[in-house]
Amino acid sequence: MNRYIVSAAGTVFFLFFFFHLHQAEALEQEVHKKFLVPPPPFSQGIFPCSQCHQGMPANKAPRKLEMMHQDIALHHMPGGWCFDCHNPDNRDTLRLANGKIVKFSESYNLCGQCHGTILREWKAGLHGKRTGMWNGEKQYLLCVHCHWPHDPEFKPITPLPPPVKPSDIK
Amino acid sequence: MEQNDNKNSGLNRRKFLQGAALGLAGMALPLDRADASFWESFFQKHFREMNDAEIKKVLSRLEKECEIKYKKAVKIGNEKAMPGVMFGYGLDLSRCIGCRRCVYGCVDENNQSLDPQIHWITVLRFKKGEKWVDLENAEKYYNPDKVPQDDYFYMPVQCQQCENPPCVRACPTQATWKDPDGIVVIDYNWCIGCRYCMAACPYGARRFNWTEPNRPAEKINPNTHYLGNRPRYKGVVEKCTFCIQRSRNGRYPACVEACPVGARKFGNLLDPESEIRYAIKHKRVFRLKEDLNTNPKFYYFFAYGK
Ligand code: SF4
Ligand code: SF4
């Protein structure tokens, strides 16, 4: 009798374990699913970041930047700091809150940590711009192609000219 | 010489019929110098009654005429509707910033006349909080320094590719019809310019060429379709075809690619994985003037969030 209980419990445990594994795997796949994107919009000559950061110890204390990157005013999540997103151990990569490392070309996984619904719609092609083939390979733009990540609000632009009024046609 | 060519190709069935109606058929026909091309265009059958060989002949004649006129090689394609495809368009009004990039992207892709100006897309501006969907009184000449402006939102309008298109029913010569993928097309060689379709279209989507369309050769997009963006003639009606020359080759319409904010969505309504189906399933979509039962395949929606 006891034996049965033990084996039943074992099965349940096994199933549970298996399910858990399976879920973790699905998540893993989700994070690493690749979308075809153009190269990230780095400023000229700035990448790889390790060019300058090689051998430079990471200073994790939030402070006013004085030497480099002064143009960056962090309007995105005030109170945040570089290492919320940038990987202190390898500046050529980004880092998720759970410690996972992501490439700049997969930065949508980083943005999606907070903007989950947007990420879902981005993947479905609803948020943001996709180009290419409606029935085939599509190119996605990264979030940062449209939104400057340190100040992501979309900036107003100049409209193209209005149509000619019929009364102005000679 | 060039002048003569223009005159000849300009004199077509439409002019002849106009002459015939006045009992002047004899005068309308330049019997002395009518060349083969003239007679061929005169006796060109209805597009849907031609077989592939006949279409091929017509296309190569039209390509030659274009080349003479614009001194530039123009390819006129004839891609047919793909089976299992019904095109649908989506526009996210919560993202559109009214920048008109789509308008000019369309003009460049589809060889619209520059002078006089023809635009297939009109971007309307509405004041937030006021009664809108009043297309007739909407502002389309707005011109601020920057868009979007805080108090306004914008709604681009173009041909809605109605499932039940009044323009098609109004056409006395059947020069316009709906193809199986849902695109409402116009045969510019069959259109007599009566503009009944324009009167019938509740969306103001059709445009008429009052004069010879004017577009310099270097601005001609040479990749065209017979029913789409090939250079048009004076006296014919034209409109958006969801970029038939692109979409039937699997590409997105030019306005989709021109829009900087990705407000424009396009895909196959019969494919549950398409972004247009996603929008219909997950957003509250609406169509313009639904009460008219035109059943447009152009869906507007407001996606939430930033
Ligand atoms: S929007 Fe106008 S032109 Fe386009 S299909 Fe409908 S009725 Fe015809
Ligand atoms: S290009 Fe996009 S954002 Fe600009 S007016 Fe057209 S639809 Fe709106």
Side-chain angles (χ1 to χ4, degrees):
Chain A
M1 186 67 191
N2 251 350
R3 225 176 43 218
Y4 287 119
I5 291 174
V6 168
S7 75
T11 310
V12 167
F13 179 75
F14 177 76
L15 275 178
F16 181 77
F17 185 71
F18 184 76
F19 177 72
H20 193 77
L21 250 183
H22 199 73
Q23 263 222 327
E25 211 171 77
L27 250 163
E28 192 86 350
Q29 268 176 4
E30 184 69 352
V31 168
H32 290 290
K33 181 170 176 218
K34 294 248 179 356
F35 293 89
L36 185 65
V37 295
F42 294 121
S43 323
Q44 199 67 43
I46 206 157
F47 197 81
C49 310
S50 53
Q51 284 176 106
C52 300
H53 285 274
Q54 192 74 272
M56 196 192 278
N59 180 349
K60 298 188 182 173
R63 63 195 185 281
K64 195 170 179 319
L65 293 175
E66 265 155 13
M67 294 278 286
M68 290 299 288
H69 304 310
Q70 298 109 313
D71 52 323
I72 296 174
L74 197 65
H75 293 303
H76 192 187
M77 209 178 69
W81 182 243
C82 311
F83 301 122
D84 295 339
C85 300
H86 294 273
N87 177 8
D89 303 325
N90 174 3
R91 236 46 83 74
D92 298 338
T93 58
L94 299 163
R95 200 182 63 179
L96 304 188
N98 66 7
K100 221 170 219 97
I101 309 300
V102 286
K103 296 196 205 114
F104 278 94
S105 57
E106 290 164 38
S107 53
Y108 44 85
N109 288 313
L110 185 85
C111 310
Q113 296 178 115
C114 298
H115 308 280
T117 47
I118 302 281
L119 179 63
R120 195 171 64 216
E121 302 210 325
W122 179 84
K123 287 178 178 170
L126 209 69
H127 182 103
K129 177 151 146 175
R130 293 207 291 199
T131 56
M133 314 285 276
W134 58 264
N135 61 355
E137 196 161 83
K138 294 167 178 51
Q139 190 174 63
Y140 287 65
L141 288 185
L142 289 167
C143 316
V144 292
H145 282 114
C146 300
H147 306 277
W148 169 236
H150 306 111
D151 184 10
E153 185 82 38
F154 203 86
K155 304 291 173 298
I157 58 175
T158 307
L160 293 181
V164 176
K165 286 188 182 156
S167 56
D168 292 342
I169 296 174
K170 311 266 163 350
Chain B
M1 177 60 205
E2 196 198 337
Q3 279 278 316
N4 280 349
D5 281 330
N6 278 348
K7 260 194 202 127
N8 267 349
S9 52
L11 193 120
N12 49 23
R13 177 188 308 97
R14 192 167 53 250
K15 289 239 179 70
F16 172 75
L17 288 180
Q18 283 162 358
L22 296 169
L24 299 174
M27 280 177 68
L29 285 177
L31 285 174
D32 47 337
R33 52 179 183 79
D35 54 17
S37 159
F38 165 73
W39 286 106
E40 274 166 31
S41 79
F42 183 72
F43 286 114
Q44 183 178 322
K45 283 204 242 169
H46 190 283
F47 190 74
R48 283 189 292 179
E49 283 164 6
M50 283 191 264
N51 61 33
D52 286 348
E54 288 169 321
I55 289 178
K56 219 172 135 205
K57 232 174 123 195
V58 167
L59 293 185
S60 73
R61 187 188 79 234
L62 294 173
E63 283 175 350
K64 246 178 255 142
E65 283 178 17
C66 272
E67 188 157 0
I68 290 168
K69 191 163 169 190
Y70 294 99
K71 312 245 176 317
K72 180 172 188 177
V74 173
K75 181 198 142 275
I76 304 180
N78 171 40
E79 290 84 354
K80 303 220 166 49
M82 301 176 193
V85 172
M86 171 75 79
F87 288 122
Y89 207 108
L91 209 150
D92 183 351
L93 294 175
S94 64
R95 308 238 183 264
C96 175
I97 56 172
C99 68
R100 298 199 187 94
R101 301 288 187 275
C102 51
V103 175
Y104 291 88
C106 172
V107 167
D108 287 344
E109 169 66 28
N110 290 296
N111 292 322
Q112 271 115 300
S113 171
L114 298 180
D115 182 22
Q117 182 187 66
I118 288 192
H119 286 173
W120 290 353
I121 304 175
T122 309
V123 185
L124 304 176
R125 185 180 77 170
F126 297 96
K127 204 161 175 71
K128 284 181 187 164
E130 279 181 9
K131 177 183 181 297
W132 63 292
V133 201
D134 177 2
L135 304 189
E136 284 70 25
N137 292 316
E139 168 66 276
K140 64 174 171 182
Y141 302 109
Y142 65 87
N143 196 22
D145 286 344
K146 300 268 178 202
V147 286
Q149 302 152 278
D150 280 347
D151 295 336
Y152 296 93
F153 70 96
Y154 307 87
M155 182 165 80
V157 180
Q158 61 209 71
C159 174
Q160 314 277 305
Q161 316 295 350
C162 307
E163 187 53 27
N164 181 17
C167 54
V168 166
R169 262 173 294 139
C171 177
T173 64
Q174 299 182 22
T176 181
W177 65 89
K178 188 183 65 183
D179 254 5
D181 53 6
I183 302 181
V184 174
V185 295
I186 303 173
D187 180 345
Y188 312 119
N189 284 76
W190 205 261
C191 170
I192 58 168
C194 68
R195 287 168 283 135
Y196 281 17
C197 59
M198 293 176 72
C201 170
Y203 305 100
R206 291 179 167 240
R207 302 285 181 269
F208 184 63
N209 287 281
W210 288 97
T211 66
E212 192 63 38
N214 196 343
R215 199 168 174 83
E218 71 273 10
K219 292 210 172 143
I220 293 277
N221 170 8
N223 299 315
T224 75
H225 190 284
Y226 181 87
L227 298 169
N229 61 337
R230 69 183 164 109
R232 271 81 60 192
Y233 313 106
K234 176 178 169 179
V236 301
V237 171
E238 58 181 66
K239 66 164 190 68
C240 158
T241 61
F242 282 173
C243 281
I244 197 166
Q245 67 282 357
R246 296 169 63 107
S247 53
R248 285 201 179 160
N249 287 314
R251 299 174 65 201
Y252 283 114
C255 48
V256 171
E257 301 207 339
C259 177
V261 298
R264 291 172 164 268
K265 305 294 161 197
F266 180 79
N268 180 6
L269 285 168
L270 305 181
D271 170 12
E273 300 299 313
S274 65
E275 51 255 56
I276 183 67
R277 282 286 290 276
Y278 186 93
I280 293 171
K281 186 166 172 202
H282 295 278
K283 303 291 159 193
R284 281 190 293 168
V285 296
F286 72 93
R287 293 177 291 174
L288 287 183
K289 308 194 183 190
E290 293 208 34
D291 45 329
L292 299 178
N293 282 330
T294 50
N295 202 351
K297 285 185 232 68
F298 203 101
Y299 297 82
Y300 294 93
F301 58 95
F302 291 88
Y304 54 83
K306 288 221 161 154

